[in-house]
Amino acid sequence: MTPAAPRAVLAAIAVLAALGFVLPGYAVTLLTEAIILALFALSLDLLVGHARLVSFGHAGPWGFGAYVAAGLLLVLQVPLPVAALVAALATALVAVPVGWLCVRTTGVAFAMLSLAFAQLGYAVVFKWSAVTGGSDGLPGVPRGGGPLGLDWLATREGFHVLAALALAGAYLIARGFTVSPLGRVAAAVRENEARAQALGYDPRGTRLAVFVLSYGLAGLAGGLYAGFARYVSPELFFWTVSGHVLVMVILGGAGTLVGPMIGAMALFFLEHQLSGLTESWGLALGIVFILVVIFAPRGLMGWVEGALRRGGRASRAAP
């Protein structure tokens, strides 16, 4: 699948940011959460779509970033952007030793190792109640501007714009990586590891770089979510969170960067609407997934690109 034009993607994100000033308050809250989930799905796409490393434990960096940001906001009362950035950097640092162990394997073994580390994080925050609050979590996470006086972040609109800016920045970082020489090496390793190694590249080191970047962006998303929900708990590490974001990536179209963002927003709003219409919303959602698999096997982004190509051929064939 061909990547979407960066200018079009950034323009779409700018529209999402502007909607925060015109939509009703509740709709803005929902859209902000969808944007954070889009960032979370984008981070996983680097592993799944660009390194072909299916992770069952991506809730690990998400939860770790949330707890780091919550601790900084509660104890040091730093500005929210600083807390989110520190959460991303801290998660990337932790990803180095974790990734060094995980990327030694691929396939099912990698998926289970990533799941094991996420469950380890769940156990740590659940048992270390003196610091993490245990099963009660950490409530009352502030969203103020800290000593820099960025109090506009405490408003619904200000936080919405911050989330949109974070998504735009993460997209530029992820796309910049995929088109960089290291990103092209990662693609070569994904397609034929033996040939890439024969050419002198280090497959394990390349996968580790993708792993660290993916975890860092997931930590950023988790840090923003801590400010959004104003509450963190061990459930952020649970395996169902990992499965949920993996479905978002597959639904949108793995390997496209834009597709997982679309998939995250589509799944979030679809779940919200269906749960309000019927108690059997899970069944309805399953039917939607079946239809997507049948009619859009490459995900929503693949379906959109196919429709655009068919439209372009039809216009050229017209007299």
Side-chain angles (χ1 to χ4, degrees):
M1 285 183 278
T2 57
R7 291 183 179 178
V9 177
L10 294 177
I13 296 176
V15 171
L16 292 177
L19 288 175
F21 298 96
V22 296
L23 292 177
Y26 181 63
V28 175
T29 300
L30 290 178
L31 184 57
T32 303
E33 185 174 2
I35 288 174
I36 296 174
L37 291 175
L39 172 54
F40 188 26
L42 169 67
S43 69
L44 180 58
D45 190 39
L46 287 171
L47 281 178
V48 175
H50 293 274
R52 202 167 289 162
L53 295 172
V54 179
S55 173
F56 287 169
H58 213 58
W62 162 264
F64 182 80
Y67 266 90
V68 170
L72 291 171
L73 291 168
L74 283 167
V75 179
L76 300 180
Q77 297 181 349
V78 301
L80 181 55
V82 175
L85 289 175
V86 172
L89 293 175
T91 307
L93 288 175
V94 171
V96 175
V98 173
W100 184 82
L101 293 172
C102 290
V103 300
R104 298 169 69 89
T105 61
T106 56
V108 176
F110 174 86
M112 297 310 296
L113 268 177
S114 63
L115 174 61
F117 277 108
Q119 292 302 104
L120 177 62
Y122 175 86
V124 169
V125 298
F126 190 85
K127 295 293 185 181
W128 200 10
S129 58
V131 176
T132 64
S135 60
D136 295 329
L138 298 175
V141 177
R143 197 194 287 176
L148 297 182
L150 301 177
D151 294 330
W152 64 277
L153 294 176
T155 66
R156 182 185 288 111
E157 294 78 10
F159 185 81
H160 177 79
V161 171
L162 175 64
L165 289 174
L167 179 61
Y171 168 74
L172 289 176
I173 292 172
R175 177 174 171 77
F177 174 81
T178 58
V179 299
S180 69
L182 182 57
R184 297 185 186 279
V185 172
V189 171
R190 176 193 66 204
E191 297 301 327
N192 195 322
E193 180 177 340
R195 178 175 296 178
Q197 190 169 14
L199 291 173
Y201 299 116
D202 179 14
R204 187 180 300 171
T206 303
R207 288 197 295 264
L208 179 59
V210 180
F211 188 95
V212 171
L213 179 58
S214 172
Y215 268 48
L217 294 180
L220 175 63
L224 289 173
Y225 187 79
F228 170 80
R230 300 188 178 186
Y231 171 72
V232 293
S233 70
E235 280 69 28
L236 292 174
F237 287 88
F238 211 52
W239 64 270
T240 52
V241 177
S242 300
H244 200 223
V245 69
L246 184 58
V247 170
M248 292 175 180
V249 172
I250 297 172
L251 177 65
T256 63
L257 295 182
V258 180
M261 293 191 288
I262 297 175
M265 292 188 176
L267 181 58
F268 174 77
F269 285 111
L270 188 61
E271 288 178 336
H272 183 266
Q273 293 299 320
L274 290 177
S275 62
L277 293 175
T278 174
E279 294 183 356
S280 303
W281 64 272
L283 175 62
L285 192 62
I287 295 174
V288 172
F289 288 159
I290 292 173
L291 294 176
V292 170
V293 170
I294 294 175
F295 296 104
R298 295 187 301 160
L300 296 177
M301 191 64 186
W303 180 81
V304 170
E305 291 176 343
L308 291 175
R309 284 196 296 268
R310 289 191 296 271
R313 287 196 296 266
S315 62
R316 288 192 298 269

